[in-house]
C-alpha cells in the first residue's frame, strides 16, 4: 500500500494540490485496502485519513491499517471529511476531488463546506490502478480460471429448453461454489434475436434449438474482475450464423494479435478487429468499442475503442470483444480478458473459441 500512496502523492505534487478526497470505491480499496462503501479517503503529503460512519469503524481499523480513522458521526459525511481535511491541511488548502464519482449534490455540499479551492482531478487517481502488480495479476489469473470453469460447468448442463435467467443464476451459483466473491457484473445470457442487443438483460425467454446464445459473464475474486463472452449454438445453427461467427472469431483473433506493450487501443487493437468485420460487410453491425480495461472495476482504463483509445503498456489488463449484431436474428460476440505483456498478450480467460453446438 505504501507504494500506492507514494504514487498518489506524486499526483498531488504534479497537480499542485494540498490534498485529495478519494470517494470512488475501487480507488478507496486500492489505496487503503478498505472494502466497504460510503467512505472517503483524504490523502496529502503527510496524512492518510479514512473517513467513514459507525457501520464501518471496526472494518476500517482492520482493513485500512495504515490510515488514521476519522469517525464520521453526523448525517453529512462530507462535513466530517472536510472538517478532518481542514484540521490536517489547513482550511485554505487546494483540495482535489473526483468529479467523475461525486454526485452534483455531494459536490455542492463539498463546495459549501470547504473554504479553500477545489479542483477536479478527473481520473488521475483511478489511473494509478491501470498497471497491475504481480499480486494483482495472480488474483486476476484466478478470476479468469474460475470464470472458465463456471462457464464450462453451466454449458455442460445444456442450453436448449432453459430460460436465459436460469442460465444466468446457474453461473452465479458456480462462482459461489468455486469460492469467488460473486460475479463481476450481472451476466448477459441472450438467445436468438435477443442476442442482437449487446447488453441484453436475461429474462424468461426459453432458449430454442437453432438459436445462437451470447453469454457474457465474469467472476469477482478478491475484488478483481474477469470478463468473458462466448457465443454458443443451441443446436445446429443456420449456415449464415456460422459465417457470422467465423467473422467475429477472425476479428477477435486479429484484435488479440495486436495487443502488446506500446500498441494503441484505438489505432492498433480496435482497428485490427474492426477491419476484419468491415471487410466482411458487417461494419455497421459492430457499434461498440473493441475492449476496455479490467481490474477492481469491470470497466476501467485503458480504452480500446473507436471513440476512446489509450496506449497499452505491459501490466495492463484489458478485454478484446468484437461483435456483430443483426436485429431480429442474432448476435455474436467473443471476448477474452488479456494481460498486456512486452511481447504480446497473455489470455487470462482460456475457454475454447471453437463454435460449440450445445443441446
Ligand atoms: Zn463482457
Ligand atoms: Zn467486456
Amino acid at each position: 500500500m505504501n507504494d500506492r500512496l507514494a504514487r498518489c502523492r506524486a499526483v498531488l505534487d504534479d497537480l499542485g494540490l494540498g490534498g485529495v478526497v478519494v470517494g470512488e470505491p475501487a480507488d478507496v480499496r486500492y489505496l487503503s485496502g478498505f472494502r466497504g462503501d460510503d467512505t472517503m479517503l483524504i490523502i496529502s503529503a503527510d496524512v492518510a485519513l479514512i473517513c467513514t460512519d459507525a457501520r464501518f469503524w471496526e472494518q476500517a481499523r482492520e482493513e485500512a491499517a495504515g490510515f488514521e480513522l476519522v469517525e464520521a458521526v453526523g448525517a453529512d459525511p462530507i462535513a466530517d471529511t472536510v472538517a478532518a481535511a481542514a484540521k490536517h491541511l489547513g482550511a485554505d488548502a487546494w483540495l482535489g476531488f473526483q468529479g467523475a464519482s461525486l454526485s452534483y449534490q455531494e459536490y455542492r455540499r463539498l463546495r459549501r463546506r470547504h473554504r479553500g479551492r477545489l479542483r477536479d482531478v478527473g481520473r488521475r487517481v483511478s489511473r494509478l490502478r491501470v498497471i497491475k502488480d504481480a499480486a494483482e495479476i495472480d488474483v486476476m489469473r484466478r478470476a479468469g480460471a474460475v470464470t472458465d470453469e463456471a462457464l464450462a460447468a453451466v454449458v455442460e448442463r445444456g442450453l436448449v429448453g432453459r430460460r436465459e435467467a436460469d442460465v444466468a443464476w446457474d453461473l452465479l451459483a458456480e462462482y459461489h461454489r468455486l469460492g469467488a466473491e460473486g460475479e463481476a457484473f450481472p451476466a448477459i445470457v441472450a438467445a436468438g434475436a435477443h442476442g442482437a442487443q449487446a447488453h441484453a438483460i436475461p429474462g424468461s425467454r426459453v432458449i430454442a434449438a437453432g438459436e445462437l446464445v451470447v453469454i457474457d459473464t465474469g467472476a469477482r475474486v478478491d475484488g478483481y474482475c474477469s470478463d468473458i463472452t462466448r457465443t454458443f449454438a443451441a443446436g445446429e445453427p443456420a449456415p449464415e450464423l456460422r459465417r457470422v461467427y467465423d467473422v467475429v472469431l477472425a476479428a477477435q483473433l486479429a484484435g488479440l494479435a495486436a495487443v502488446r506493450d506500446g500498441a494503441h487501443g484505438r489505432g492498433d487493437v480496435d482497428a485490427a478487429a474492426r477491419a476484419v468485420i468491415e471487410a466482411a460487410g458487417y461494419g455497421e453491425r459492430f457499434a461498440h468499442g473493441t475492449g476496455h480495461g479490467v481490474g477492481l472495476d469491470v470497466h476501467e482504463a485503458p480504452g480500446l475503442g473507436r471513440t476512446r483509445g489509450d496506449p497499452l503498456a505491459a501490466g495492463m489488463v484489458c478485454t478484446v470483444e468484437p461483435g456483430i449484431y443483426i436485429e431480429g436474428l442474432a448476435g455474436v460476440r467473443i471476448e477474452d480478458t488479456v494481460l498486456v505483456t512486452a511481447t504480446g498478450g497473455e489470455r487470462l480467460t482460456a475457454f475454447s473459441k471453437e463454435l460449440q453446438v450445445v443441446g
Side-chain angles (χ1 to χ4, degrees), residues 4 9 21 30-31 35-36 62 69 73 138 145 150 152 192 203 221 238 284 306 325-327 344 348 358:
R4 295 176 182 182
R9 285 171 172 145
V21 178
Y30 183 75
L31 291 167
R35 296 183 301 162
E62 280 172 15
L69 176 63
V73 289
D138 211 46
V221 173
E284 284 174 16
R306 233 180 342 182
Y325 308 91
I326 304 172
E327 208 179 316
L348 304 185
V358 182

Side-chain angles (χ1 to χ4, degrees), residues 23-311:
E24 178 68 38
D27 296 333
V28 169
R29 179 168 184 162
Y30 183 75
L31 291 167
S32 73
F34 178 73
R35 296 183 301 162
D37 51 17
D38 288 340
T39 292
M40 288 181 174
L41 306 178
I42 301 166
I43 294 166
S44 74
D46 39 31
V47 294
L49 309 177
I50 184 163
C51 187
T52 190
D53 64 67
R55 289 173 297 164
F56 294 119
W57 290 346
E58 189 182 340
Q59 186 184 338
R61 277 189 210 101
E62 280 172 15
E63 294 177 345
F67 279 67
E68 186 184 326
L69 176 63
V70 176
E71 298 182 348
V73 289
D76 176 3
I78 287 188
D80 295 299
T81 304
V82 170
K87 204 165 86 197
H88 287 84
L89 313 180
D92 300 324
W94 271 87
L95 197 57
F97 67 96
Q98 298 183 290
S101 58
L102 211 63
S103 74
Y104 178 61
Q105 284 174 334
E106 286 169 333
Y107 171 75
R108 298 217 340 163
R109 286 209 290 273
L110 185 58
R111 175 72 290 166
R112 225 173 20 239
R113 304 268 179 188
H114 180 63
R115 291 209 341 248
R117 282 183 285 185
L118 291 171
R119 176 163 172 190
D120 181 4
V121 299
R123 302 196 183 275
R124 287 291 296 271
V125 173
S126 302
R127 285 196 71 100
L128 295 172
R129 297 189 273 118
V130 76
I131 305 277
K132 275 64 183 173
D133 65 28
E136 292 178 290
I137 290 167
D138 211 46
V139 171
M140 293 193 75
R141 281 202 185 97
R142 276 198 284 134
V146 164
T147 302
D148 285 341
E149 199 178 333
L151 186 57
V154 169
V155 171
E156 176 77 31
R157 292 194 267 276
L159 293 172
V160 177
R162 296 172 80 184
R163 297 185 319 155
E164 293 171 346
D166 293 337
V167 175
W169 275 104
D170 202 7
L171 283 162
L172 185 56
E174 283 298 326
Y175 291 147
H176 176 65
R177 193 181 62 79
L178 292 166
E181 278 172 21
E183 53 189 0
F185 55 91
I188 295 166
V189 179
H194 198 200
Q197 297 177 26
H199 272 201
I201 297 168
S204 54
R205 196 179 191 289
V206 175
I207 299 168
E211 290 184 328
L212 293 186
V213 185
V214 179
I215 301 183
D216 187 346
T217 183
R220 186 182 291 272
V221 173
D222 289 348
Y224 286 82
C225 302
S226 173
D227 190 4
I228 191 175
T229 307
R230 289 294 183 268
T231 302
F232 298 92
E236 194 51 42
E240 186 199 349
L241 297 181
R242 262 195 188 274
R243 180 178 133 70
V244 171
Y245 188 92
D246 290 342
V247 172
V248 174
L249 179 55
Q252 207 253 357
L253 294 174
L256 281 176
V259 170
R260 68 179 183 287
D261 179 70
H264 199 282
R266 178 176 50 232
D268 294 312
V269 182
D270 182 81
R274 199 168 296 280
V276 173
I277 291 177
E278 281 172 355
Y282 292 101
E284 284 174 16
R285 302 192 188 272
F286 173 29
H288 57 74
T290 292
H292 53 84
V294 186
L296 285 168
D297 283 324
V298 71
H299 293 126
E300 57 179 49
L304 298 92
R306 233 180 342 182
T307 51
R308 185 177 162 227
D310 299 300

